[in-house]
Amino acid sequence: MTSSSAGTVHLAVYDTFADWETGHATAHLTQNGYTVRTVGLSREPVTTMGGLRVQPDLALDELRPQDSALLILTGAAGWDTGETLAPFARAARSFLDAGVPVAAICGATAGLAREGLLDDRAHTSAVSFYLAATGYAGGERYVEVDAVTDPGADGTGRLVTAGPTEPVAFAREVFALLGVYDAKKLDAWYRLFHDSDASAYEVLQGE
């Protein structure tokens, strides 16, 4: 990955995408010098689950792993109602094969499971039987945690997964993966936004 692309994170957007699931991650990435660009199946506007209208910055066929530091995939109804979003799972494969990380939360984990990307990687989701219903072969690699990062192997990219109730833990794993915060500050950030620990704010401000 070139240094010029290190600050660009791509967020996949599609109709009914769960906009709250990536809010912590994208907001704090932006505050820490990253550029977040949205990518849709086309450049046509989409409507989030929260009713927000989003104009994608680029179409999926314009997306290249070498131009990105991370691809983020959120939940959406489309992951469980046909093949509409399957191209994003295939894009995730191309990212991982190129050594560029991917972060998936909620229904996007099922899309990756159907693509075979969780068969040999540590992962989590809403519940294990949700992924089991996809018929994937990775059940033994399922981890009962709020969010998890598989380190990748043989040149493949790292993969973050989380369930739909864990947007803060999801963001924590993204920040750790990209080195946004050191360990002390990352712990403080998580305690502040997950546990409402006011003392953590002093750590964040004091660093």
Side-chain angles (χ1 to χ4, degrees), residues 69-91:
L70 174 71
L71 174 63
I72 299 176
L73 303 172
T74 70
W79 288 114
D80 297 316
T81 56
E83 297 295 315
T84 303
L85 299 184
F88 286 102
R90 292 193 289 271

Side-chain angles (χ1 to χ4, degrees), residues 128-199:
S128 60
F129 56 81
Y130 170 63
L131 292 186
T134 68
Y136 84 132
E140 292 185 354
R141 303 300 304 275
Y142 189 91
V143 187
E144 293 283 359
V145 293
D146 53 10
V148 65
T149 300
D150 182 87
D154 300 326
T156 62
R158 292 167 290 172
L159 175 64
V160 172
T161 50
T165 62
E166 300 295 345
V168 179
F170 181 66
R172 177 197 65 204
E173 295 298 305
V174 167
F175 301 154
L177 183 151
L178 295 178
V180 174
Y181 300 121
D182 61 31
K184 181 178 179 181
K185 202 165 186 178
L186 183 63
D187 174 71
W189 184 91
Y190 183 74
R191 287 189 289 111
L192 177 62
F193 287 95
H194 187 267
D195 304 326
S196 300
D197 183 349
S199 68

Side-chain angles (χ1 to χ4, degrees), residues 12-35:
V13 294
Y14 22 76
D15 284 329
T16 76
F17 93 84
D19 35 15
W20 69 91
E21 291 177 345
T22 188
H24 289 87
T26 53
H28 290 273
L29 287 172
T30 299
Q31 290 173 23
N32 283 278
Y34 283 83
T35 297

